[in-house]
Amino acid sequence: MNKKIDELLKDNTSVLLTSPHNMRYFSNFSGGEGVVLFAGDKKFLFTDSRYTEQAKGEAVGFLVVETNDYLKSACEVLESDNGCRALIEENEISAKDYTRICSMVKNCEFTFGAEKINAQRMVKTETELEKIKKAEEIGCKAFEHILDFIKPGICEKEIATELEYFMKKNGADAIAFETIAISGKRTSLPHGVPGDKKIEKGDFVTMDFGCTVDGYCSDMTRTVVVGKASDEQKKIYNAVRNAQQAALDVICEGIRGCDADKVARDYIERAGYGQYFRHSLGHGVGLLVHELPNLSPKSEIVLSENMVTSCEPGIYIPDFGGVRIEDLVVVRKDGCENLTPATKEIIEL
Ligand SMILES: [Mn+2]
């Protein structure tokens, strides 16, 4: 951790963290409310009386300051440092607060550092990987469980709720994001919201879900068919599955995010569904369910060992339906380790 802070302090005198995830990453404080400040070799955590005790227990080595105005207190420290240059998370501070810190600190130059700060979280430690693996295992168990639960007549919301309940009962601390469980023609919506629609024979059912373990997220997607799959459904399913496999085969240290994306995209294009794959192939997963690195046509990030990314191509045909299959992988030197063993054979329930 110190090395990562040193990296950020190389060209700056201070780092001001205002997001719950970066505060947690760099200080271990999980309360979410406060401000973390690295100023030279001093480490501060400003929080209010609701969190002081927790903060002192978690943020070992930090000076925990109880205050009702985190930013003002942090600014007093910055103001006392002549020639201060502070990195801030420009996407994690409101316009109002940014204006405030600029007016409170006269002799400090604030630099937008969100990308640089967030990039420090890309490569995971073994401890972080263990937490992500555990969360993904719970997801896989939930998927097995839900296969017995899905029947014609139950509604999408019931499937989503059952997945969430099962994950929490089996070791999850929380859900990582709002569960997606959609069916029939509605599966053409990549991020559809579960509704009262009842499951019918012949439906695709797409489920995208995840949980957290000690703050770390999991993320997986499976699509199943209720009843017998039609030829068209099989064709789409296999195109997505093979595109995903083609991408999984090339993900390793050294490949750029855009090149991994292209492998899956080219496969789907050749299968004749190019216009129906309109999102990125994948995203990093850690304390946030969407973080760096991105696997997208624009991502120049070169993958390195122990980054965690999803691999999730999809085909979505309006007024027909869609398929997405998503695994989570750890990037390794000469390949990737798949954390999502749940079957990808086409399932007909
Ligand atoms: Mn995902």
Side-chain angles (χ1 to χ4, degrees), residues 177 208 219-221 283 285 289-290 310 312 324 326:
F177 54 92
D208 184 347
D219 191 4
M220 64 181 285
T221 307
H283 54 85
V285 173
V289 72
H290 290 137
S310 71
E312 49 177 312
R324 177 167 64 258
E326 172 181 30

Side-chain angles (χ1 to χ4, degrees), residues 16-20 22-23 32 34-36 71 88-90 92-93:
L16 183 69
L17 300 174
T18 48
S19 69
N22 280 326
M23 281 196 280
V35 164
V36 163
L71 282 172
I88 60 166
E89 299 181 79
E90 71 275 13
E92 297 287 350
I93 188 164

